[in-house]
Structure formats: C-alpha cells, structure tokens
Amino acid sequence: MANDNIASGFFRSSVAYGDRLFYSDASRNVSYGEMGVTVRRLAGHVSQKGRPRRVGILATRSFEAYAGILAAGFAGGAYVPINLKWPESRIVTLLGLMELDALIADVNGTSLLTPDVLAAAPDCIVIADAAKRPEVVRNSQSIVHFNEIEAEPLSQPMQVEADDLAYIIFTSGTTGLPKGVMISAGSLANYLAESRSWTALTPDDRLAETCDVTFDLTVHNLFLCVEAGASLHILSSLEMMAPGRFVRAREITVWMSVPTLIAMMRRNGSLKPGIFPSLRLSIFCGEPLPVAAAEAWAAATPNGVVENIYGPTEGTVICMRQRFTSPPVETKGRGILAIGKPYDSMEIAILDSEQQVLPEGQAGEIALSGPQLAIGYLGAPEQTADRFRNLRGKRWYLTGDLGLRDETGTYHHLGRTDNQVKVKGNRIELEEVEAHLRKAADTDVVAVIAWPVVDGSAQGLIGFCCSDKSDSEIEAAMLQSLPRYMVPSEIRIRNSLPVNINGKVDRRALFQQLEEAAQTTATGPARPDAAE
Amino acid sequence: MNTKSNASIRATVMSLLGERGVTQVADIEPLFSSGLLDSVAATEVLLALETDFGVDLSDEDFDITHIDTLASLEHFVASRTPA
C-alpha cells in the first residue's frame, strides 16, 4: 500500500544521488549520502521507545534543523519547529502544549535550553556537536550530541497513513498565544503533487532558502528539493539583507522569498537588470507583490519566470498562483499582481458575512476547500470550529482574507477582513500584540497599528496606550513574552485614545494621525521614528 | 588613519548591542550569525555604512558578511574610506 511518509522522497534521493550535494550553508556542504546516514541514525535514536509522535525542532537555517525535520518524518513522527525568537516564557508554555517525544537543537537552539525550558522539554534531546551540553533537569532526561548517537539506524521510512500528522507550524493568534496549524501527511502529499508540475525541479537545480523553518515556505523548498535530488542553499539571516552576492556566487536557479526583499534591493539600488542570469524560477509569497517590484525582479532575471503565490498555512503552504506576464495580470487600483487561479484539487469561494457564496466581481472573504485543508489548530477546538466550517456538505477554511474573482476566473487579494497584518512577511494578529501591551502597560486602553505601510506592506508596529509606566518599561515587559518582531518599535503614551461610535479604540483614526504627522514633518521616505 | 571612522562604526554597533542588554563583545565574535543582533540592527549598521561612510550598497556583489564581527567591519570601513 502507499506510504505517505514525508521523508520518502529524501530516502530515494539519498540512495540514487548519494554523491550529489543536498545542503549547503556558509560553513558546511552535505551530500545526499551523508545526510541519509545522519537522518537514519537520528531517526533510530528518536524511535528507541517506539514510533515518536512529535519531534520539536529548536533550530533553523542549520544542518541540524534539516536533519531533525527529515529524521522526524523518517521515523513516522510529525515535526514541530520552535521559533528561536520566542522568549523563554513562551517556549515553556508552548512546549507544554506540543507533547513532544524528542527535541533536536542546533547551536543557537541549545543556548535556549535553560533549566525552565529543559523542565518543559521531552526526555530525549539531541544537540549539535558544536553546542555545549546543558545539565539535564531530571534523571530520565538524556541530552546527546549528534555524533554520540549509538542507536541502530532505521533502514527505511516508517509506514505513514494520509491522516497522520506531518507537521505543526505556529502562526500568530488572537488570544495572546500563537496557534499551531496541524497539517497531515496526505495534505502535504497533495501539495507536492500539485506543485511538482509547475516547479519541475531537477537534480541540477540549486534552490535558495531564505526562510526560517517556522515559516511554511520552507516546506515547499525542502520537500520538492529532496524528491528531485536538487540542492538547498541556506542564506544566513545576514545574507538575506543583501542577497545579490549569494545568488550570483552560487548560481542559484530557484528563488523564493517574501516581496519585502525586492523592496529592500530596489531601495539601495542593487536590483539591476540582468544581474541574476542563473535564476530560472522566482517565487514570491506572504505579502502583496507590487507590479513594479515584479517587473524589476523580472528584469534582473532575464532567463527566468516570476510567480506570485498565495495561500495560508492552514491550506498547506499555497493553493493559488499567478505568473508574472507582459502585460501583467494586475489587481485593479492596487498596483499589485493578482493571486491567480487555484490548484486543480482545491476549490475557492468568495463568501459574504453569512458564508453565502458571492457572485463574480463581488468582494468577500476568501474560503478554501479541498485535500490541503489543515486538521485544525493544536489544542484549540473553539478556534478550529470558528475558522474551519462545514458549509453545504463540504469542509471550508475561512481565510480572513478579502478577495474577489474576476470575469476570467482570476482571483484578487484585497486585504484582510480582520486585524491580521504581515510585517516583513511575519503574520501578526494585532489583537495578540494588544493583549500583551495591555498586560505590560497595566491598562485596558491600548491599540497597535501596523505602520508605516509601503507598497501595501506594513513595515513595523506602533503601540498606543494610556499608562503610568514609561515606554521603555513597557517595551522591556513585552520583550519578556513576545518575540522582538512582534513588539512595537515605538510605544506612545497618551492621556486618551480616539474611540469610534461603538466606544472601541479607533485604529483607523490613529493610523490617520501617524500618516498626517509623517507628511508634515518629513519630505523623505516615512520612517517610524520620523513622525510625531 | 580612519581611527575616527572606526571609533564611530564601533560606537554604532556597541549602542545597538547596549539596547539589547549586551555591554561587551569580542572583536572576532559574530554579531548577527550568533543572534546577538537581529535584522533590525543590521539595517541600522547598513544605513550607517551608507550615510556616514559612503559605502555603495548598490554593488550587487557587496559581501554583507563583512559586518558580522567588529574586526571585519572595521577592516571593511577602513578599506572603503579614503585616507
């Protein structure tokens, strides 16, 4: 019978392409053969007490992160990336939810293994060879380096069924804690079958990895890469800031990132025509793709195509795509590329506020149905029931994205129906940040605004509150419980905040104030600290 | 030469570290790849390189790993700044 093990493709390539390069970062090149040996040993180690259910990945952009993901899959378990930017208290809380059987950490991840984190961590922990081993907190816990593993290697991928859990990826929630999106092996298999046809990777492809493994664009890159026997080239977070040299020196053929990267390169003038002759496919995702940005990127990649893709984590990476063409398929009045047409196996509907299907041309909430829908949110049945609905005999996911279908059957993205924003590709629920601001400022009167907005993408967050505390005290308190990218770059303390007709804090009025202040003080580009 | 420039790029980095609660760092200790500083801080360093030291960031072969340690950053600034 069919085996939906997510590491099957990797296993085949580790046999067929043993000598070929699989993984490359600034300090290390690993072949498929070598990675195969590591993955089978690690899979054996985490299976000593039977098939693991879930394996935590306290690692990113590292050999250990990828070895951990593939080994978890090989052993028949689900992998659960843990964000290294989460503060200690959040890691402890979420470890309590995850019910891990094992934890894999790279050097940076191991530095987060404090006594409190270890107390919440599973018994079986494997750390990078170069990491200093922390003290275990109980007798049953064992921490070994990769090179100390003595367990019998697993010889082949465990039998996995379509309904089995493949991974859990966390996204921002509205309650103050992130939501864990649970994706099955069957959903991932469907995703790969759909994506294989248009990416058409071969063993000669060299893929650039720009994302952390906590972001599901890495699911796309990793699993399509390994089944094709291609190589994965990891940019450090620093190289992300000026990626030109990386792409050119490594002759990258496939690029995928958030559009913010294009904006950055355009701003400093480095995105010149023709500079990336090696790129044959460039994929942008996670934020609206401005037509001007797509044009500039296409000019830089004369031998390649540019694709704009759309999809929430809850629909397994992506489910719609639009190729950049000349003339471009544009979303009217917004200067952004359309999100295109759905994958064949996925159904898209535009719904009104009562979840009735809207006709062509009318804007409503984008809803998805089909084999890529998530199982739901980890340990959150109410939030799952709220977003995953049975409507007219089918299961649908309500994305919270506003959109419409035009007369050609092409879909367009028109923003959000709620207060979720993307800041440099990071999905953030403003309510989640506000919940933490309320606590840190010890007040009920708070608001968080995504600002400034450049090319339709938020560049940062500004917090407003009425509080007796100082902005630096509030910021320090928020950093205890939130990753830095979710803490507003500026906290403004006011005697009162504007309210709307319902008595709620009026975010729109605050946004207007920020815009007006920026226009009167600055003639140059708006920066968060240039206003007031 | 360039002691003033180096002093100020060092000051920029030390102040960014200070904001994140770090008061000491070795000259050869990685700043960004170690996670001591994040991409927001990297943006600040790049901005300083561009505006205070005239580094041309539009060079598509600009090697950003030069800014990962104080030693390499100072060396880089010295090599790019006219004496």
Side-chain angles (χ1 to χ4, degrees):
Chain A
M1 72 185 290
N3 185 358
D4 275 315
N5 190 302
I6 63 174
S8 302
F10 169 74
F11 180 58
R12 282 191 298 272
S13 292
S14 71
V15 176
Y17 306 113
D19 291 337
R20 294 194 77 113
L21 180 65
F22 159 54
Y23 171 95
S24 180
D25 65 22
S27 59
R28 188 161 197 172
N29 288 325
V30 183
S31 69
Y32 272 95
E34 283 173 76
M35 194 60 155
V37 171
T38 301
V39 165
R40 287 196 293 273
R41 289 176 67 221
L42 189 52
H45 183 77
V46 300
S47 302
Q48 288 176 102
K49 290 186 176 165
R51 175 179 166 182
R53 292 163 305 163
R54 297 170 189 168
V55 177
I57 309 295
L58 189 60
T60 191
R61 296 177 194 269
S62 59
F63 165 75
E64 291 80 11
Y66 289 96
I69 290 170
L70 292 168
F74 203 93
Y79 77 91
V80 188
I82 298 167
N83 196 325
L84 302 189
K85 292 172 185 159
W86 285 344
E88 182 185 41
S89 66
R90 173 165 285 212
I91 293 177
V92 169
T93 306
L94 290 169
L95 279 173
L97 263 178
M98 290 174 185
E99 298 179 326
L100 302 179
D101 287 327
L103 182 67
I104 315 296
D106 61 12
V107 172
N108 290 337
T110 304
S111 71
L112 303 176
L113 291 175
T114 59
D116 284 352
V117 170
L118 284 167
D123 281 348
C124 174
I125 299 175
V126 183
I127 61 174
D129 292 338
K132 186 170 173 289
R133 191 196 324 260
E135 288 288 326
V136 298
V137 293
R138 52 181 184 268
N139 288 334
S140 58
Q141 197 165 52
S142 96
I143 304 178
V144 301
H145 288 108
F146 271 66
N147 63 14
E148 294 168 328
I149 291 173
E150 288 171 352
E152 185 71 19
L154 280 196
S155 57
Q156 53 184 341
M158 290 292 289
Q159 175 68 32
V160 167
E161 311 303 326
D163 289 344
D164 289 347
L165 188 62
Y167 61 84
I168 303 176
I169 281 189
F170 282 83
T171 72
S172 184
T174 51
T175 59
L177 268 187
K179 300 182 285 199
V181 180
M182 300 188 288
I183 299 293
S184 71
S187 293
L188 180 53
N190 190 83
Y191 177 74
L192 295 176
E194 287 273 15
S195 306
R196 202 171 282 144
S197 59
W198 65 271
T199 51
L201 300 185
T202 74
D204 292 327
D205 273 310
R206 290 175 296 281
L207 285 73
E209 182 52 84
T210 64
C211 297
D212 286 315
V213 296
T214 47
F215 194 179
D216 71 350
L217 289 188
T218 55
V219 170
H220 172 102
N221 269 348
L222 173 62
F223 292 102
L224 287 170
C225 175
V226 294
E227 66 172 32
S231 56
L232 195 61
H233 298 256
I234 314 293
L235 283 90
S236 66
S237 49
L238 195 55
E239 284 165 323
M240 291 277 296
M241 311 283 304
R245 182 188 172 88
F246 186 94
V247 173
R248 288 162 58 83
R250 290 174 177 255
E251 298 183 315
I252 296 298
T253 64
V254 180
W255 175 266
M256 178 155 74
S257 75
V258 293
T260 300
L261 252 111
I262 310 182
M264 216 167 59
M265 291 188 71
R266 288 178 79 204
R267 217 170 296 146
N268 66 27
S270 62
L271 191 62
K272 292 175 241 173
I275 60 165
F276 296 141
S278 61
L279 281 178
R280 68 167 186 84
L281 173 62
S282 301
I283 306 167
F284 294 96
C285 187
E287 294 172 324
L289 176 60
V291 170
E295 271 165 358
W297 190 272
T301 65
N303 305 314
V305 294
V306 175
E307 299 271 3
N308 183 34
I309 59 178
Y310 165 86
T313 304
E314 289 86 342
T316 312
V317 197
I318 62 163
C319 53
M320 284 197 242
R321 103 189 141 93
Q322 174 66 54
R323 180 166 292 193
F324 174 73
T325 50
S326 186
V329 181
E330 196 172 334
T331 297
K332 282 194 194 88
R334 293 181 177 249
I336 58 173
L337 219 60
I339 52 175
K341 297 197 168 146
Y343 273 7
D344 290 342
S345 61
M346 293 298 286
E347 194 178 339
I348 311 295
I350 303 293
L351 305 180
D352 69 12
S353 55
E354 264 106 50
Q355 283 82 49
Q356 297 300 312
V357 178
L358 285 166
E360 190 179 286
Q362 282 198 36
E365 182 170 15
I366 301 174
L368 322 174
S369 185
Q372 286 175 212
L373 284 207
I375 298 166
Y377 298 118
L378 175 67
E382 282 157 27
Q383 293 183 60
T384 302
D386 180 48
R387 302 315 299 177
F388 294 85
R389 306 271 186 93
N390 279 309
L391 304 169
R392 297 170 286 280
K394 269 187 195 160
R395 186 164 180 261
W396 291 85
Y397 169 65
L398 308 180
T399 63
D401 286 322
L402 261 185
L404 64 77
R405 188 181 66 214
D406 69 18
E407 63 286 354
T408 68
T410 299
Y411 286 84
H412 299 270
H413 188 260
L414 305 170
R416 290 288 300 175
T417 63
D418 55 17
N419 293 309
Q420 187 189 102
V421 296
K422 285 274 177 83
V423 178
K424 295 180 177 156
N426 291 301
R427 183 170 140 179
I428 298 174
E429 299 274 4
L430 293 178
E431 282 95 341
E432 180 177 3
V433 183
E434 285 177 348
H436 288 261
L437 176 55
R438 226 170 264 130
K439 203 169 151 217
D442 194 20
T443 172
D444 287 335
V445 188
V446 302
V448 174
I449 313 293
W451 191 85
V453 177
V454 177
D455 284 347
S457 296
Q459 307 296 303
L461 300 175
I462 309 283
F464 290 88
C465 61
C466 305
S467 178
D468 298 331
K469 301 191 172 176
S470 73
D471 55 349
S472 53
E473 276 177 282
I474 295 170
E475 188 192 353
M478 291 184 82
L479 281 169
Q480 295 296 311
S481 59
L482 284 177
R484 178 169 284 275
Y485 72 85
M486 291 181 73
V487 176
S489 55
E490 206 182 324
I491 308 282
R492 300 193 187 191
I493 297 167
R494 297 275 176 86
N495 292 325
S496 67
L497 298 186
V499 292
N500 63 22
I501 196 154
N502 301 319
K504 284 186 177 170
V505 175
D506 190 343
R507 288 204 190 94
R508 191 184 297 263
L510 287 166
F511 184 87
Q512 281 305 326
Q513 288 178 15
L514 288 168
E515 289 285 296
E516 281 158 22
Q519 274 164 19
T520 53
T521 53
T523 46
R527 278 168 47 87
D529 51 0
E532 193 67 276
Chain B
M1 67 177 212
N2 291 314
T3 47
K4 188 163 173 255
S5 305
N6 277 344
S8 64
I9 194 71
R10 177 174 286 263
T12 302
V13 171
M14 290 315 291
S15 123
L16 289 165
L17 285 166
E19 287 170 20
R20 288 156 178 81
V22 180
T23 51
Q24 272 195 316
V25 66
D27 278 11
I28 53 160
E29 192 174 342
L31 299 169
F32 298 94
S33 53
S34 62
L36 270 184
L37 290 176
D38 58 15
S39 61
V40 178
T43 310
E44 297 288 324
V45 172
L46 291 178
L47 195 68
L49 285 177
E50 209 174 10
T51 54
D52 301 342
F53 304 101
V55 172
D56 180 13
L57 295 182
S58 74
D59 175 2
E60 62 270 22
D61 287 318
F62 165 61
D63 184 358
I64 194 167
T65 57
H66 286 312
I67 76 168
D68 202 25
T69 67
L70 275 172
S72 61
L73 184 58
E74 288 188 338
H75 180 76
F76 178 69
V77 166
S79 70
R80 291 298 180 105
T81 316

